[in-house]
Structures are given as structure tokens and as C-alpha cells.
Amino acid sequence: MKRTLINILINWLASIAFIQFLLLSGPVSSQISPGKLTKAHTALEGISNCTACHDLGAKISEQKCLDCHKQLKNRITQNKGYHVSKDIKGKQCITCHSEHHGVNFEMIRFDKKTFNHSLTGYELKGAHKKAENCAKCHDEEHISDFKLKQNKNTYLGLDPKCISCHEDYHQKTMDNDCTKCHNYDEFKPASFFNHSKTDYALTGAHIKVDCAKCHKVEMKNGKKFQQFAGIPFKNCNSCHKDHHNGEFGTDCKSCHDTESFSKMRSTSAFNHNLTGFALEGKHKTIDCKKCHDGRPGTKDTYKEYEGIKDIQCLSCHQDVHESKLGKDCKSCHGQLSFALKNIPVSFNHDFTGYKLEGKHIAVDCRKCHTKQYMTATLQHDACKNCHQDYHNGEFASISENDCRVCHDTEGFTESSFDFARHDQSAFPLKGSHQATPCFECHKTDGKQWKFRNIGSKCIDCHDNLHEGFISQKFIPDNDCNACHNSDNWVSVSFDHSKTKFELKGKHEAISCRSCHFETTDQKTLQKFINLDQKCASCHDNIHGSQFEKEGITDCKRCHGFEKWDRSNFNHDNTLFKLEGAHLKADCNRCHHSETKDGVATIIYKTGKLTCTDCHQ
């Protein structure tokens, strides 16, 4: 035991002696570090901080990495996230996050387009899978942990629950698991919802009723809200008025069903066949009171026809044919409808000179034959002879002003007006406009279609979100095409050389939003006019005030736009021209790093201009 302690003590003293040797031997110490640390680790720069990441005599300590990155350590301890996936688990940190490659080296590098998000424990589906910008989800506003929020580049801190990113439309009245009803492609309709699995399965006419009839849409907490939970449904009178005023109890289903209130249940105690008049067709669903109207002279309710031995159609219905076609109405008509029964085979409408096609085949004859006699002449050479001009004369100027130019008898909602014909109009469809539904432009009020004088400029349909932020010089007449195109709104073709700041080098490849948009307090601000052009207004000045002239540091004096090197710097232009061995000397030998207030800064203006300032 003693010998072990002595050996540990000897190794510890030897390590301290070695470090002191490195600190005192100027030329040698500059060769110990293989390169500068990245910007995130600059606080650890310097040989005295080596053991913050390294163990003496060993490689980088995995434990020391995790001791600094505590949030990631917690995830790994809980066996959660990307770093415990099959592709990463067991690897050393340095395998993916190497160091000593310079201040601007990117330690976190991966291809966002090919990244397998399933390895994080959260598989992207539907619309999530199509999202091209990771930052739409990995945004600080979706992170609840305050410490994680401070890290602008983190991908940690998101909650997989839908409402952690999306607004809870149901305002805590429904289950938090949105995927029970909704899918990942779109919020509406709720494709997974099945009313049959609720406590109230829809049957009969209820199936066709608009949801909003029962589930009212209202304003709650200042937002539109539709109530789905807590709707009373035990009895029919929870929703419907009791026309019998309670005379027959509250169990409406004993006589009626959900198909129709006027349709009596087949299990009703009353059998109409016993009256000698079997109910058929429409007679089965008609309101009893239509026939049993308690007319004067009858003995009692529902006994109006007791004195009639042979009940015929004309006992109740008026003979519109004035007895010209006999009394047997059923020879032409059925009891389901007064329309001609199955359109008699003996009658061929083609002989009229107007062949019935499409929707016209199923139209009741009386829809067209409105006069007393079916044989009365009808004008039928144009649709407008029978149909109202839905477009209110918008197409009156065209040579063939009739519905058939765009529509046919199969249905008015379908149109034969295609892209080729639209290209002949005053507004040819290009780019994304070709994928835009017709109603987006031609049904602006949500009710009436409109095709004339709806505008042809961008500003007629789209808001100019740059108004007040960009000079009219660059957006003449609010013409978006000055920078954007209809193929892809994100693609910008603006010539920056027209401004006072021509883009060069790396600035040419950077996104416009990086400089001209700023998000603060969940608001996006635009910055185009009077934008500061000094380097330090966008980039950190790591040199402090060493190179300031009249309070401004002009980075271009030393650095180029292509990469952050000193391509524009010439030491000969300084007060100390490099000659002889100085040309080969490492810059760090003379320009060392000093840490002040936790910030490491390389000192270039050392004030040492004579030999004796550096050499003894």
C-alpha cells in the first residue's frame, strides 16, 4: 500500500515538473497545442487549461466532455436521444467533434438533408418529413428549459407532444394525444376520428348533419373554439324540440328513428294496412297530419277517411290533367314521386329534338315543362334559355356566350377551361400559380365566382410585407418580380451591387434573412434601410480595440471575404517589417493570447519594436 502511494506521489510531482518546464520554455510551449480551439472553447485556450479536457498521459476524457455538457449527459444517462442510438452509442466524442482546427472550425457537422431523424427517438412523418428547415421546429420558443434556450445552436429541449409546438385548438378539453384523431399530413380533416367509437355513434340522418350543428363554434379565451366534449345526448330532446309536448314521454325512438322524424318506425304498434289503404312510397314518410288533418265533419282524429269505401289518388290529389288521361294516376306515376314513373319506355325524348344527357336524364320533367301541358314548346338551343347566368354577364363579350363553352351536362362544378386557354388570357399561369386552385383567385369572397377585373399585379392578391422596410427604388410599383419569381418564392434574384454594399466572397452565398431579418420576442423584424455596414455590426470583433481608427475596426484591412484568413495583411506595412528568421517564426511566438474578463484575445500591438524588447 505504501509503495503504491509513493508511486502515485512520484508520478504527480513529475507531471507538475513537466508542466512547469513547458510553461517556462518559451519556444517549446508554442508547439504543444496542435492548433487553436474553436470559438465555443476559446475560454479553455492556453496550456494551463489542457487538463480541463485531457487526462495527463491519456487521450481526451469522455467524462470531462459530459461534465461540461450536462444537458447531453442527462439525456445519455436516461438512454434517450441521438447519442444513444445504434449509430453513435460507444463512439468517443472526438470521433465526430474534433478540436484544435481553428477558431471558426465547425465542431458540429452533419448533412441535414440525409440526417436520419429516427435515430433521435422521434421519427419524422407526414408534413414533418417534408419540412426543409430544421429551425422551424428546433426553435428556442419551443424549448422550456431556460438554460438550453441560451444555446442558440442546440437541438435539445423539444418535447415530442404535439401541443409543445402547436397551439391546442381544443383548449384542454380533449386528449393531449392529437394523433388519436389527426395525422401528420394535415390538421383537417381529423382522418383518424371515428364517431362510432365515441359514446354516441351516429346513425341515420345524423350522419349527414354538419358537425357544427351539434358542436357549436364559438369564441373562447379570445380564440375560435369548437366544443366536442361534454355534449348532452342521453335523450333526443337534449337537442330537438318535443313536438308532442311530453304527451308520449321522452323516448322518441319508440315511434321515430334517426332516418327522419316523419318516418314512423316499422316496429310501431299501429299497422296502417288494417285500414284497407297500405302506405307505399312517399306515403310511408309523409307526416300523418298531412292526411289526417281533423277536417270538419269527421268523427275523430285519424278517422277522416272512414266513410270512403274505395280510396283513390283523386280522393286526396287534384287531377292536373283535367281527366284527359283517366283516373288511374299509377299508370304513369309512382308513389315515390309525381315524376313520370321510371320514364316510360314508350316515350323517347330524342324525338323532341333535344336529347337528354348527363344530369338532365335525372331531372324531374316539371323542372323544364313548367307550363300546364307537357307538350308545350320549349326553347332549348342554349343553356341560358333555362339556366340563369351565374356569372352575371362577365362573359357577354365573347363570341359564343353560353355555359357549354366551359361546362357540360355532367355537372356545372366541373370546367373544361384548362391551362392552354388560360395562357391566352390577360394572365398566363406560370410557376406556382399553375398549382393554385381556381377558387383561390376567382372566389375571393368565398361565395361568388369572379373572373373579370380581379387584378393582374402581385399587389392585387398578395400583401407587400416589405412595405416601409425597402425603398420603392428596389420595388417599383410594388412589383414582387423585382426580386422573386412565381416558381419559388424563397429564390431571390436581387442584384446587391445596386446598393451601397456589394456582396463579395462568402457574403454572396449567405441567406438574405441572415442579415435582413431578426427574430426578437417571437416577432420577426426586417432590416433593409440604414443597415449598418461595419463588420462589427454583424461579426464579433475578437481583437478588441487594437485596430480601431476613430472608433471603427475595418476588418478588410487584413481579412478577405472568401474565408477568414489574413490574405489582405502585409506585415511590411506595420511598424515592424519581418526580415530574416522573423519570416519563419510562428506568429504565436510574438503575438500571444491574453484572457481578460473570461475572453481570450490575441495581442498584436505589443509595443515591442526593438530587439531587446524580446531578446535578452
Side-chain angles (χ1 to χ4, degrees), residues 20 30 60 68 76 84-85 275 359 438 445 489 520 529 575:
Q20 289 176 336
S30 63
I60 291 176
C68 279
I76 294 174
V84 296
S85 66
T275 66
K359 295 282 186 179
C438 304
D445 60 356
W489 179 259
T520 58
I529 300 174
L575 297 176

Side-chain angles (χ1 to χ4, degrees), residues 318 320-321 329 332-341 364 366:
Q318 181 184 359
V320 297
H321 301 300
C329 303
C332 292
H333 305 283
Q335 296 190 53
L336 286 174
S337 169
F338 188 73
L340 292 175
K341 183 174 57 180
D364 186 353
R366 279 298 179 186

Side-chain angles (χ1 to χ4, degrees), residues 329-616:
C329 303
K330 295 191 291 294
S331 63
C332 292
H333 305 283
Q335 296 190 53
L336 286 174
S337 169
F338 188 73
L340 292 175
K341 183 174 57 180
N342 299 323
I343 305 180
V345 179
S346 59
F347 181 74
N348 186 348
H349 208 283
D350 293 355
F351 294 154
T352 67
Y354 187 82
K355 184 178 181 180
L356 297 182
E357 297 175 330
K359 295 282 186 179
H360 288 159
I361 295 175
V363 172
D364 186 353
C365 303
R366 279 298 179 186
K367 283 284 187 179
C368 299
H369 298 279
T370 57
K371 294 184 179 180
Q372 183 176 4
Y373 299 104
M374 301 281 285
T375 55
T377 303
L378 295 179
Q379 191 174 356
H380 56 268
D381 59 327
C383 302
K384 57 186 176 183
N385 296 142
C386 295
H387 300 280
Q388 183 181 356
D389 182 7
Y390 178 85
H391 301 297
N392 298 320
E394 280 192 301
F395 301 106
S397 60
I398 65 174
S399 57
E400 188 179 359
N401 178 24
D402 195 38
C403 309
R404 74 187 82 189
V405 175
C406 296
H407 306 281
D408 58 30
T409 56
E410 292 299 327
F412 185 77
T413 55
E414 297 295 330
S415 171
S416 61
F417 194 88
D418 56 13
F419 289 147
R421 293 172 68 182
H422 209 295
D423 288 343
Q424 297 173 6
S425 70
F427 191 86
L429 297 181
K430 297 180 181 179
S432 299
H433 287 150
Q434 291 184 340
T436 303
C438 304
F439 61 80
E440 285 289 342
C441 300
H442 295 291
K443 204 174 183 181
T444 52
D445 60 356
K447 296 179 181 179
Q448 184 70 29
W449 289 84
K450 190 174 182 181
F451 296 87
R452 291 289 187 270
N453 302 320
I454 63 173
S456 59
K457 298 179 181 179
C458 303
I459 196 66
D460 292 330
C461 296
H462 305 281
D463 293 331
N464 180 6
L465 62 88
H466 299 304
E467 187 173 3
F469 296 100
I470 298 180
S471 170
Q472 278 293 317
K473 171 185 175 182
F474 303 112
I475 317 179
D477 297 325
N478 290 312
D479 184 10
C480 305
N481 290 310
C483 298
H484 303 278
N485 61 66
S486 57
D487 289 323
N488 185 355
W489 179 259
V490 179
S491 178
V492 178
S493 60
F494 178 68
D495 184 3
H496 216 283
S497 62
K498 295 179 180 179
T499 69
K500 295 179 181 180
F501 189 88
E502 183 180 0
L503 299 182
K504 297 179 180 179
K506 290 291 185 181
H507 286 159
E508 290 180 312
I510 198 170
S511 168
C512 304
R513 300 185 70 89
S514 298
C515 299
H516 295 293
F517 286 81
E518 180 181 1
T519 302
T520 58
D521 297 329
Q522 300 181 353
K523 294 182 179 179
T524 300
L525 303 176
Q526 299 186 51
K527 301 185 299 180
F528 289 91
I529 300 174
N530 299 324
L531 191 63
D532 195 344
Q533 299 180 15
K534 294 190 290 291
C535 301
S537 64
C538 294
H539 305 281
D540 293 332
N541 181 4
I542 63 173
H543 301 307
S545 60
Q546 292 182 80
F547 302 104
E548 282 187 357
K549 283 188 175 182
E550 297 180 359
I552 298 175
T553 300
D554 185 8
C555 305
K556 300 188 296 295
R557 289 168 54 200
C558 299
H559 302 284
F561 288 96
E562 289 296 333
K563 54 183 178 179
W564 192 254
D565 59 8
R566 51 179 183 270
S567 57
N568 294 339
F569 176 73
N570 186 346
H571 212 291
D572 292 348
N573 295 330
T574 68
L575 297 176
F576 191 90
K577 182 178 180 181
L578 297 182
E579 296 175 331
H582 286 155
L583 291 169
K584 300 178 181 179
D586 189 345
C587 302
N588 294 331
R589 291 287 302 277
C590 299
H591 301 290
H592 59 279
S593 175
E594 289 185 3
T595 301
K596 185 178 181 180
D597 297 329
V599 179
T601 304
I602 298 175
I603 305 302
Y604 288 93
K605 293 194 174 185
T606 63
K608 299 178 180 181
L609 302 175
T610 64
C611 299
T612 56
D613 289 336
C614 297
H615 303 282
Q616 298 296 330

Side-chain angles (χ1 to χ4, degrees), residues 28 38 54 69 104 194 239 276 290 339 393 408 410 517 545 555 611:
V28 177
T38 59
H54 300 273
H69 300 277
N104 294 308
N194 185 350
C239 297
K290 282 284 187 178
D408 58 30
E410 292 299 327
F517 286 81
S545 60
C555 305
C611 299

Side-chain angles (χ1 to χ4, degrees), residues 14 80 82 133 214 249 255 287 295 396 436 555 595:
K80 292 181 179 179
Y82 177 65
N133 188 359
C214 300
C255 292
D287 187 356
R295 66 193 67 177
T436 303
C555 305
T595 301

